[in-house]
Amino acid sequence: ELKVEQNPLFLSMQEGKNYTIYCNYSTTSDRLYWYRQDPGKSLESLFVLLSNGAVKQEGRLMASLDTKARLSTLHITAAVHDLSATYFCAVDRQGGSEKLVFGKGTKLTVNP
Amino acid sequence: DSGVTQTPKHLITATGQRVTLRCSPRSGDLSVYWYQQSLDQGLQFLIQYYNGEERAKGNILERFSAQQFPDLHSELNLSSLELGDSALYFCASSVGGYDTEAFFGQGTRLTVV
């Protein structure tokens, strides 16, 4: 069974600081997704990482994928309050099914 | 706006009742997924349909069922509702195929009283 673990689950940081969210998964997969969710809202797709070594950046967020280590990171640079949200990583289960298995999410709070 | 439409946005119903949640996927998407999000269980995959046929099944209770119609919209039926079924139910859609990205609807918040 594919398991996806994120850490930390809760992250409180000051504006202007840098931090990294980690996403580990248990079985082979080379497709990983990062989503953002604001309270009570839908999930917004942030990044799609499709191969080993993939790195994508959008604004203050950068995501990377290491399929050998089964690890993805979401790095936050110079955080601002607008980044406060819950971030989920999700992995495609390899072997036919296209469903996504989600981590529990990291609730990020950026304080002024 | 992801292009995935879910109705209704909110639903309040009593225990023992049956409800139907509706999802219209993005134009051109053949796959529809249903997820349940609750505080204690997180985001749980329920079921996936691809072009009208069931493709994958997750932690979906026997009281729940779904289908995808020829026009590709999907419905999730929840019956004999219990308090614990209160959750946010999301539908997502994707083109289908190997390299696929799922886009989520706004969700239906179900409250069972």
Side-chain angles (χ1 to χ4, degrees):
Chain A
E1 181 188 348
L2 173 58
K3 293 189 190 303
V4 181
E5 291 186 357
Q6 284 182 240
N7 70 85
L9 297 183
F10 298 93
L11 177 55
S12 181
M13 57 191 297
Q14 286 186 312
E15 281 191 327
K17 299 293 187 183
N18 304 331
Y19 210 85
T20 300
I21 299 170
Y22 297 88
C23 174
N24 290 90
Y25 52 97
S26 61
T27 64
T28 303
S29 176
D30 56 3
R31 292 177 287 157
L32 190 133
Y33 306 81
W34 284 96
Y35 287 87
R36 167 183 171 143
Q37 186 181 35
D38 291 298
K41 303 293 185 183
S42 183
L43 285 86
E44 174 192 353
S45 178
L46 294 176
F47 300 108
V48 180
L49 303 170
L50 298 176
S51 61
N52 186 40
V55 177
K56 290 198 175 177
Q57 182 162 7
E58 179 75 33
R60 300 174 189 276
L61 300 178
M62 183 174 71
S64 66
L65 177 62
D66 181 343
T67 58
K68 292 177 182 172
R70 298 177 186 168
L71 170 70
S72 179
T73 61
L74 181 66
H75 187 72
I76 303 154
T77 302
V80 292
H81 179 69
D82 285 352
L83 290 180
S84 297
T86 299
Y87 294 85
F88 291 91
C89 65
V91 178
D92 272 325
R93 193 184 72 181
Q94 200 177 48
S97 172
E98 296 163 31
K99 72 178 180 74
L100 298 175
V101 178
F102 283 82
K104 291 190 182 299
T106 296
K107 184 173 182 180
L108 171 67
T109 304
V110 181
N111 303 304
Chain B
D1 183 1
S2 67
V4 179
T5 304
Q6 287 186 250
T7 57
K9 287 189 168 48
H10 301 276
L11 199 48
I12 301 175
T13 189
T15 54
Q17 294 299 303
R18 172 190 169 93
V19 297
T20 297
L21 313 184
R22 183 187 168 100
C23 170
S24 294
R26 294 187 319 157
S27 177
D29 284 0
L30 298 179
S31 268
V32 168
Y33 311 76
W34 286 97
Y35 285 84
Q36 180 193 58
Q37 186 177 36
S38 59
L39 282 176
D40 53 344
Q41 295 292 323
L43 267 162
Q44 297 280 314
F45 167 73
L46 296 178
I47 198 163
Q48 178 201 358
Y49 280 84
Y50 177 80
N51 204 20
E53 293 191 1
E54 184 182 302
R55 174 67 70 95
K57 213 168 196 177
N59 299 321
I60 188 167
L61 300 172
E62 285 190 10
R63 300 183 285 109
F64 296 0
S65 65
Q67 55 184 330
Q68 187 179 28
F69 294 87
D71 67 352
L72 301 177
H73 91 272
S74 178
E75 292 180 357
L76 178 67
N77 300 297
L78 315 176
S79 61
S80 302
L81 285 167
E82 302 174 0
L83 295 178
D85 297 328
S86 296
L88 198 48
Y89 290 85
F90 285 109
C91 167
S93 75
S94 68
V95 171
Y98 185 70
D99 292 334
T100 187
E101 178 181 4
F103 294 86
F104 282 74
Q106 293 296 310
T108 293
R109 180 168 293 283
L110 173 66
T111 303
V112 183
V113 297

